[in-house]
Amino acid sequence: MQQVEYIVQTSGISKQYKHQLALNDLNMNIARGDIYGFVGENGSGKTTIIRVLTGIIFANKGSFKLFGVDSNSKDIFKARSKMGAIVETPSIYKNMSAYDNLKMQCNILGIKNYKEKIEETLEVVGLGYLKGNKKTAGHFSLGMRQRLGIAIALLGDPEFLLLDEPINGLDPEGIKEIRDVILKLNKEKGITFLISSHILTELQLVATKYGIISKGHIVKEISADELVFESRKTLVVETEDVELATSCLRRDFVKLNIEVKDNKITINDFSDLNELLARIASYNLNIIKINTYNTTIEDYYLSFVGGENNA
C-alpha cells in the first residue's frame, strides 16, 4: 500500500483570544494532491487556522507539520516558501494593471526574467487577454480580482494553496471561473488546496476531501468518495395498505432500514432502487405516491453541527 504524503498535519492546535477560544484542540490532515474543502459556520475557526498555518498568528497550544517540517523548527520558514495563500481578500493594488501587480510581486520575490512568467501566469488563471491592457484592478470585476490574487500567489510556484472564501460574493460566472482555475491547477500542476467556503454545493464540485469544523474543532474528516457512500438515499412510499406493504418489504429486505411514520413507509440506505421498485410493484398494492431523496452535503454537515448556523 502506497504511503500517504501529508502536506499539513496539525496536532491539538488551540488559539485563545482573551475570553474566546477560536481553535480548540484542532487536528487536520491534508494529503498531497487533495482539494480540501473546509466547512464550518461563521466564527468556527476556519480563517484562524489558515492564519496559523501561514504564520500570520501563532497558536497558544499544539503544533503542526508543513511538508513534514515541524512548526517549531527553524526550517518552517523554508517550508512556507512552498505555499501561497489568499486570506480573506486578495492583496492587490487597485491603481495598477494586472501586469504591473504581477511585476510588483516578481520584484518582491526576486524573479528577474519576469515577462514570460507573468504572461504564463495570466494565461493559467484565464486572464491572458489582459496582457498589455492598462486597465487598473480597481475596475475589474470581483471574479477578475480573485483570479488576479491567485495569479499573484502562483508566482512563487507553490505546491500548496490556501484560499479563504475564494468565491464569496461572486456571481455564477465568477464562481465557475474560480472553480475551473482550481481544478486546472490541481490536475495540471499537482497543486494541493485548502479551500474554505460557505457555498457547500459549489465546494462539492471541486473537493476531494472535507474537513468539518465547529467551534474551533474538527468534528469530521471525510473523503469525497466516502461522502458519496455515506450519503443517505431515502425512498418514501405512500400506499392504501401500509401494514401489508411494510410486512412484505421487511420480509423481502431483512437488512434494510424500514420505518413507518405519518402513514408513509420510509426506506433508508438502499443500494438498488430498480430492484426495490420492481419488488414493490410485484405486491399488487395500490401505490399512491413514491418519492426518492438523496442527502446533500448540507444535510451531512448539519448532522454534525446542527441547523442553527449557516455553513
Side-chain angles (χ1 to χ4, degrees):
M1 187 174 179
Q2 188 176 3
Q3 188 173 1
V4 177
E5 179 187 356
Y6 286 101
I7 299 296
V8 173
Q9 289 180 290
T10 73
S11 178
I13 295 284
S14 295
K15 178 63 179 177
Q16 182 87 31
Y17 290 109
K18 293 185 178 178
H19 303 295
Q20 179 190 0
L21 186 61
L23 297 176
N24 180 18
D25 193 31
L26 183 143
N27 297 301
M28 170 191 287
N29 302 279
I30 304 176
R32 182 175 291 278
D34 278 345
I35 300 178
Y36 189 100
F38 207 18
V39 182
E41 70 269 20
N42 289 327
S44 61
K46 298 190 299 295
T47 299
T48 304
I49 187 59
I50 289 174
R51 288 175 174 270
V52 169
L53 293 175
T54 54
I56 296 173
I57 61 174
F58 295 96
N60 299 115
K61 183 181 175 184
S63 63
F64 64 88
K65 288 184 177 181
L66 184 64
F67 295 97
V69 177
D70 192 273
S71 55
N72 297 313
S73 168
K74 60 179 178 16
D75 293 329
I76 193 64
F77 301 103
K78 186 176 180 180
R80 283 197 175 108
S81 69
K82 299 179 183 180
M83 64 189 286
I86 299 177
V87 184
E88 297 181 316
T89 56
S91 298
I92 61 176
Y93 296 94
K94 292 185 178 180
N95 63 333
M96 296 169 62
S97 68
Y99 185 94
D100 287 341
N101 265 281
L102 293 175
K103 181 179 175 181
M104 174 73 77
Q105 184 66 12
C106 283
N107 289 334
I108 293 171
L109 295 174
I111 300 172
K112 294 181 179 179
N113 299 318
Y114 54 78
K115 187 176 186 296
E116 184 177 340
K117 181 76 172 178
I118 290 174
E119 292 181 354
E120 176 192 344
T121 306
L122 285 172
E123 288 287 352
V124 167
V125 299
L127 295 177
Y129 61 90
L130 291 177
K131 295 174 189 176
N133 193 317
K134 296 299 182 182
K135 182 178 180 179
T136 58
H139 294 93
F140 290 178
S141 69
L142 182 56
M144 290 171 66
R145 289 201 294 271
Q146 289 285 45
R147 282 186 285 157
L148 178 58
I150 293 174
I152 291 171
L154 288 174
L155 288 174
D157 296 320
E159 298 175 37
F160 178 42
L161 266 180
L162 301 92
L163 305 179
D164 187 19
E165 299 284 356
I167 58 176
N168 192 27
L170 298 186
D171 59 24
E173 183 180 0
I175 291 173
K176 183 180 183 304
E177 289 169 349
I178 297 298
R179 182 173 73 231
D180 289 346
V181 169
I182 290 168
L183 290 171
K184 181 179 181 180
L185 291 170
N186 179 256
K187 182 179 179 180
E188 296 182 4
K189 293 185 176 291
I191 294 177
T192 302
F193 282 88
L194 167 61
I195 305 170
S196 70
S197 178
H198 281 70
I199 309 176
L200 303 188
T201 51
E202 280 298 326
L203 200 58
Q204 197 167 19
L205 295 176
V206 297
T208 61
K209 185 177 180 180
Y210 301 92
I212 299 174
I213 181 173
S214 181
K215 299 177 181 177
H217 184 75
I218 297 285
V219 295
K220 181 72 173 181
E221 283 190 322
I222 185 170
S223 73
D225 290 340
E226 289 170 333
L227 179 60
V228 170
F229 181 79
E230 289 195 18
S231 292
R232 171 177 274 197
K233 293 183 289 186
T234 302
L235 182 71
V236 179
V237 181
E238 295 182 47
T239 177
E240 289 185 350
D241 196 334
V242 174
E243 186 176 341
L244 176 59
T246 305
S247 176
C248 291
L249 285 166
R250 284 177 174 162
R251 178 196 67 208
D252 294 340
F253 299 95
V254 177
K255 295 182 179 180
L256 282 186
N257 179 4
I258 300 171
E259 302 173 344
V260 178
K261 186 177 181 181
D262 299 327
N263 215 34
K264 298 176 184 178
I265 303 168
T266 300
I267 306 167
N268 296 313
D269 306 324
F270 53 88
S271 58
D272 192 330
L273 177 60
N274 290 330
E275 181 189 0
L276 194 55
L277 293 176
R279 191 63 63 89
I280 291 172
S282 73
Y283 300 149
N284 294 318
L285 295 167
N286 186 12
I287 303 298
I288 300 171
K289 186 187 294 184
I290 293 179
N291 288 317
T292 59
Y293 304 93
N294 283 320
T295 303
T296 65
I297 185 175
E298 287 97 338
D299 298 328
Y300 191 81
Y301 163 76
L302 291 173
S303 72
F304 282 96
V305 301
E308 70 277 6
N309 294 305
N310 294 324

